[in-house]
């Protein structure tokens, strides 16, 4: 029984690791200066972004491009600047944001 509980706890920690790692990437790339997971700051809350793009099969590509190149008009007039991230980092961030509920 103890082995089962230990395995279940370890599996839970491993499944949480990617979300934590992506939050760490968002922190490292200064995304959290303007965004938060659950409340609007300068830019929209990540949960609002996830909700807006739910069901959009092209959302990861759209958001990854927006993360890299910046943009304006989707969430108001405040522009989002281009961000110094690699294409893979942008895709990782976009995938993470879209996974938030």
């Amino acid at each position: 029984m103890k082995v089962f509980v230990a395995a279940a706890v370890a599996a839970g920690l491993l499944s949480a690791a990617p979300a934590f790692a992506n939050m760490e990437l968002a922190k490292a790339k200064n995304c959290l200066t303007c965004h938060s997971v659950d409340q609007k700051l300068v830019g929209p809350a990540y949960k609002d972004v996830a909700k807006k793009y739910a069901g959009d099969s092209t959302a990861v590509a759209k958001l990854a491009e927006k993360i890299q190149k910046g943009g304006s008009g989707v969430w108001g007039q405040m522009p989002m600047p281009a961000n110094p991230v690699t294409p893979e980092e942008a895709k990782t961030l976009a995938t993470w944001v879209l996974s938030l509920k």
Side-chain angles (χ1 to χ4, degrees):
M1 179 69 167
K2 288 182 182 178
V3 172
F4 175 75
V5 171
V9 169
L13 290 175
L14 290 176
S15 67
F20 179 74
N22 295 327
M23 173 63 93
E24 290 303 309
L25 180 59
K27 286 179 184 176
K29 296 300 180 174
N30 296 317
C31 303
L32 300 177
T33 301
C34 296
H35 297 277
S36 138
V37 170
D38 57 2
Q39 59 183 300
K40 181 184 182 329
L41 297 177
V42 175
Y46 288 144
K47 287 184 177 184
D48 292 339
V49 175
K51 186 176 179 180
K52 181 179 183 101
Y53 289 96
D56 182 343
S57 63
T58 65
V60 171
K62 285 179 192 175
L63 293 178
E65 183 175 3
K66 179 121 4 196
I67 290 167
Q68 283 193 285
K69 296 181 180 178
S72 66
V74 176
W75 296 94
Q77 296 304 311
M78 179 64 73
M80 183 171 100
N83 292 281
V85 296
T86 67
E88 188 59 37
E89 289 170 332
K91 182 178 177 185
T92 297
L93 288 166
T95 301
W96 171 66
V97 167
L98 293 169
S99 76
L100 299 171
K101 307 251 185 263

